[in-house]
Amino acid sequence: MLTKSILEDLGTKLITGDVEVIDLSGRLGPETPILQLPPDFAKNTPKVEIHKISEYDADGPFFAWNWMKLGEHSGTHFDAPHHWITGKDYAYGYTDTISPQNFVAPVNVIDCSAETAANPDFLLTADRVKEWEAEHGSINAGEWVVMRSDWYHRNTDEAKFLNVDENGPHSPGPTVDCIEYILSKGILGWGNECIGTDAGCAGGMEPPYPAHNLLHAANRYGLASLANLDKLPPKGAILIAAPLKIADGTGSPIRALALVSAS
């Protein structure tokens, strides 16, 4: 009965606006930034394409609809464990086999926007996370942890979003010990506002790409290209990140949402 009362109260607060729904996703379309890997390293995801089938015309007189071409890891997206070689053996590591219970959880928002504004290569360390916990409270098992960098303001310009020069990409993300520490807390998953869950320089870390490597080895999840994290409190919001139920999907574009108290 208590659970029913809580859900009824939530429903009422959603209707009255006492609980606000925050959109954490970027716009998905042909201009969406797409990760660009070195051509001698791997094959790239194609750009998003949207093609009209009909729009109240001879091809469909009463309806409008489109067909799309896009990669699983395009735009704001969910990384399933099978996305990375370290998570390849999990039977329930695909977007169509993960329990939906794992798509909704409290979220911890670690604000690194000031550091990132001063240094696009800023790395979030375990010590910095512990400092955040000392101020805002412990990260609990089963919760999301996301890094606010305000990088999403770049997501309408692929060159600024990827931020690549002759030395490689420059974007913020976690260190190896950061991911190791939050995994030790029993987190559900980790999220970033950049093109991927790792920092631009993560290929040179040991192990390389620690967010991908360690998260998926632990059967945990990643969220990339998030937006509007500046609209969330450090604690107290609920994050909803549900991928499409793609057969044997390694990931999926998502409409990430957060529930936040308006008071």
Side-chain angles (χ1 to χ4, degrees), residues 146-163:
V146 298
M147 178 181 176
R148 174 191 162 190
S149 60
D150 291 352
W151 201 261
Y152 79 92
H153 291 294
R154 299 169 176 246
N155 69 15
T156 56
D157 184 318
E158 184 170 86
K160 290 181 179 179
F161 196 65
L162 299 181
N163 201 32

Side-chain angles (χ1 to χ4, degrees), residues 96-247:
D96 61 328
T97 56
I98 297 168
S99 169
Q101 193 76 28
N102 292 347
F103 302 146
V104 183
V107 60
N108 301 274
V109 183
I110 301 177
D111 184 0
C112 303
S113 56
E115 295 94 333
T116 299
N119 175 18
D121 290 310
F122 173 76
L123 298 175
L124 178 62
T125 65
D127 284 344
R128 176 71 169 78
V129 175
K130 292 173 185 177
E131 291 173 5
W132 181 91
E133 287 185 294
E135 180 178 358
H136 299 290
S138 180
I139 293 168
N140 300 311
E143 296 182 340
W144 292 104
V145 178
V146 298
M147 178 181 176
R148 174 191 162 190
S149 60
D150 291 352
W151 201 261
Y152 79 92
H153 291 294
R154 299 169 176 246
N155 69 15
T156 56
D157 184 318
E158 184 170 86
K160 290 181 179 179
F161 196 65
L162 299 181
N163 201 32
V164 179
D165 63 17
E166 65 277 7
N167 297 313
H170 300 274
S171 56
T175 60
V176 174
D177 74 334
C178 173
I179 296 298
E180 289 175 337
Y181 176 68
I182 61 176
L183 282 171
S184 77
K185 305 286 288 187
I187 63 157
L188 179 66
W190 155 266
N192 196 356
E193 291 184 345
C194 303
I195 195 72
T197 54
D198 275 295
C201 65
M205 296 180 183
E206 184 54 48
Y209 307 103
H212 286 83
N213 195 313
L214 301 176
L215 281 171
H216 302 320
N219 201 21
R220 300 294 82 194
Y221 317 117
L223 304 175
S225 296
L226 292 168
N228 297 322
L229 294 182
D230 52 338
K231 295 177 172 60
L232 305 187
K235 272 185 170 289
I238 300 296
L239 174 59
I240 304 168
L244 297 172
K245 201 171 182 178
I246 300 169

Side-chain angles (χ1 to χ4, degrees), residues 6-21 259-263:
I6 291 171
L7 291 175
E8 287 177 346
D9 186 47
L10 173 60
T12 299
K13 290 182 183 299
L14 284 166
I15 291 170
T16 61
D18 291 326
V19 170
E20 187 177 0
V21 181
L259 304 181
V260 179
S261 173
S263 58

Side-chain angles (χ1 to χ4, degrees), residues 72-73 77 79-85 87-88 93 212 216 249-251:
E72 294 174 318
H73 301 266
H77 65 271
D79 288 350
H82 199 77
H83 174 47
W84 209 253
I85 190 169
K88 67 183 179 63
H212 286 83
H216 302 320
T250 71

Side-chain angles (χ1 to χ4, degrees), residues 52-65:
K52 183 186 297 183
I53 299 173
S54 70
E55 190 173 11
Y56 331 121
D57 51 29
D59 294 321
F62 307 123
F63 39 85
W65 52 2

